[in-house]
Amino acid sequence: MDQVIWVEILSRHRDVTARFRLTGPQVRIGRAYDNDVVIDDPYVAGHHMRVVRDDEGRLVAEDSGSANGMLLDRDRTGLKRIMLDGERPIRIGHTLIRIRDASHTVPHERAIGRPAGPFLLVLLTVLGLAIVGIELMSAWFTETGEPRLSHYLMPLVYIGGAVVCWVTIWAVATRIVTGRAGFTRHLLIALSGVLVYSLYNDFAQFAAFALTWRAPSGYDYVAMWCIAAAICFLHLRQVGTSATLVKAATVTALLAVAIALHTLIRVEAFQESGRPNTTYRLMPPALRLAPVHDANVFFSEVDQLRADLDRDRSEAGR
């Protein structure tokens, strides 16, 4: 009695678009209408391949003399004979085919509507409260006039709206590709990125004001783009776990381009204005940690500079 063989046609996302249940000593696949499975692909031969069983009953794919041959999954080397494992698909022409025995073991079913675990909810709450606390503290440190409620609330509204829009876009993309939105996972990634950038930004501004250390603030755009690139890569990992190296390489290339363009803009702005296009926050004087120079020391240095200039002029006039 012939055993059942299942032939599946896959999309480029590896989703099953068609499935055929076949029996017989062999299964013929090609573009001609006398095949068991007809493939509508101009790069597939009329009689492209066949599937048979070896002496041990295992499924084997054999090329039927096609010009383009058979490729195993993402390999680029054409093969004449492939031992099938039911997992890695075969590419003929531009079509992906997966062939399985009727006894192939399928993974366990996914849970429907499983709510986020308590740990994840607690973590999201902690991240949200940390961001709110940092933004409120930053607004309080930079308060230079009469306190206004909008001065504290508007940054939170902007951040909250941006995070919701950002996460929604990634959740919709994930839903389209995988069938699951994964909103909480994307929200965790976004909030983590916002928290990291908030911490870095406040540290850079504090270092510039308290320690006159301008490097962290002067290159804050590099940190911003690096954090954004990391967030995008993690979102892409949630959309799909395949082609991780390609995603990482693409994000890295875009990161390099973004930093280069931003650097060019800042250099051109410096050439036009003659000073760095950077504004530092005003903070309470108590946070100033760098030593303050005495006025007498400052004027003595000015007098010494004037004396040096007069000496240089007199020497040049001789």
Side-chain angles (χ1 to χ4, degrees):
M1 180 178 179
D2 295 325
Q3 297 181 10
V4 175
I5 299 175
W6 288 93
V7 178
E8 299 174 334
I9 311 299
L10 307 181
S11 69
R12 61 188 182 92
H13 299 299
R14 309 303 173 96
D15 296 323
V16 178
T17 60
R19 182 180 285 119
F20 303 91
R21 183 182 186 275
L22 304 164
T23 58
Q26 67 175 356
V27 174
R28 297 175 301 169
I29 301 174
R31 195 156 45 90
Y33 289 104
D34 58 350
N35 289 288
D36 299 302
V37 178
V38 179
I39 305 296
D40 186 16
D41 183 344
Y43 297 93
V44 172
H47 299 90
H48 200 107
M49 58 175 286
R50 68 186 188 126
V51 180
V52 298
R53 294 184 182 275
D54 61 8
D55 296 337
E56 299 180 4
R58 297 174 299 183
L59 294 177
V60 179
E62 296 180 347
D63 184 72
S64 299
S66 64
N68 295 323
M70 302 183 303
L71 302 176
L72 183 58
D73 203 357
R74 292 184 174 85
D75 295 344
R76 297 181 178 273
T77 303
L79 301 173
K80 294 297 182 181
R81 193 172 188 271
I82 299 175
M83 188 68 66
L84 301 173
D85 60 3
E87 295 297 336
R88 300 185 67 186
I90 296 174
R91 185 182 299 275
I92 58 173
H94 289 168
T95 304
L96 279 176
I97 298 177
R98 186 170 61 199
I99 301 168
R100 288 176 168 175
D101 205 333
S103 60
H104 183 83
T105 303
V106 298
H108 293 291
E109 71 277 12
R110 295 176 179 173
I112 299 176
R114 183 173 61 183
F119 175 77
L120 182 58
L121 294 178
V122 170
L123 184 57
L124 290 174
T125 303
V126 171
L127 289 174
L129 292 176
I131 294 172
V132 170
I134 291 174
E135 292 301 321
L136 292 178
M137 183 178 296
S138 177
W140 181 70
F141 277 145
T142 57
E143 188 73 71
T144 57
E146 291 294 329
R148 295 183 178 180
L149 186 60
S150 61
H151 182 67
Y152 294 88
L153 292 182
M154 291 311 296
L156 299 179
V157 172
Y158 293 147
I159 293 174
V163 168
V164 170
C165 293
W166 177 265
V167 173
T168 301
I169 292 172
W170 283 106
V172 170
T174 306
R175 178 76 177 183
I176 293 173
V177 175
T178 66
R180 295 178 293 111
F183 186 87
T184 54
R185 296 287 180 178
H186 287 296
L187 181 60
L188 177 62
I189 294 171
L191 290 180
S192 300
V194 172
L195 178 61
V196 171
Y197 179 72
S198 296
L199 290 173
Y200 178 86
N201 186 53
D202 283 355
F203 164 76
Q205 297 296 338
F206 174 79
F209 179 83
L211 304 172
T212 63
W213 187 17
R214 299 183 179 181
S217 182
Y219 294 97
D220 59 344
Y221 68 98
V222 177
M224 178 192 70
W225 285 116
C226 289
I227 295 171
I231 292 174
C232 289
F233 175 73
L234 293 176
H235 282 306
L236 289 172
R237 286 278 297 171
Q238 287 297 317
V239 173
T241 57
S242 60
T244 301
L245 293 179
V246 175
K247 294 175 182 177
T250 302
V251 171
T252 303
L254 293 176
L255 171 63
V257 172
I259 292 177
L261 290 177
H262 205 142
T263 302
L264 178 62
I265 293 173
R266 290 172 68 93
V267 169
E268 291 179 346
F270 174 75
Q271 291 175 348
E272 292 176 359
S273 62
R275 62 182 184 277
N277 189 17
T278 306
T279 303
Y280 300 104
R281 293 180 184 174
L282 293 177
M283 295 183 178
L287 296 180
R288 180 74 178 182
L289 302 180
V292 179
H293 293 289
D294 185 78
N296 295 328
V297 175
F298 172 78
F299 287 113
S300 64
E301 292 177 353
V302 171
D303 292 337
Q304 181 63 40
L305 178 61
R306 183 184 296 111
D308 293 339
L309 290 174
D310 292 339
R311 185 183 65 252
D312 292 338
R313 289 193 188 98
S314 61
E315 291 178 354
R318 294 177 182 176

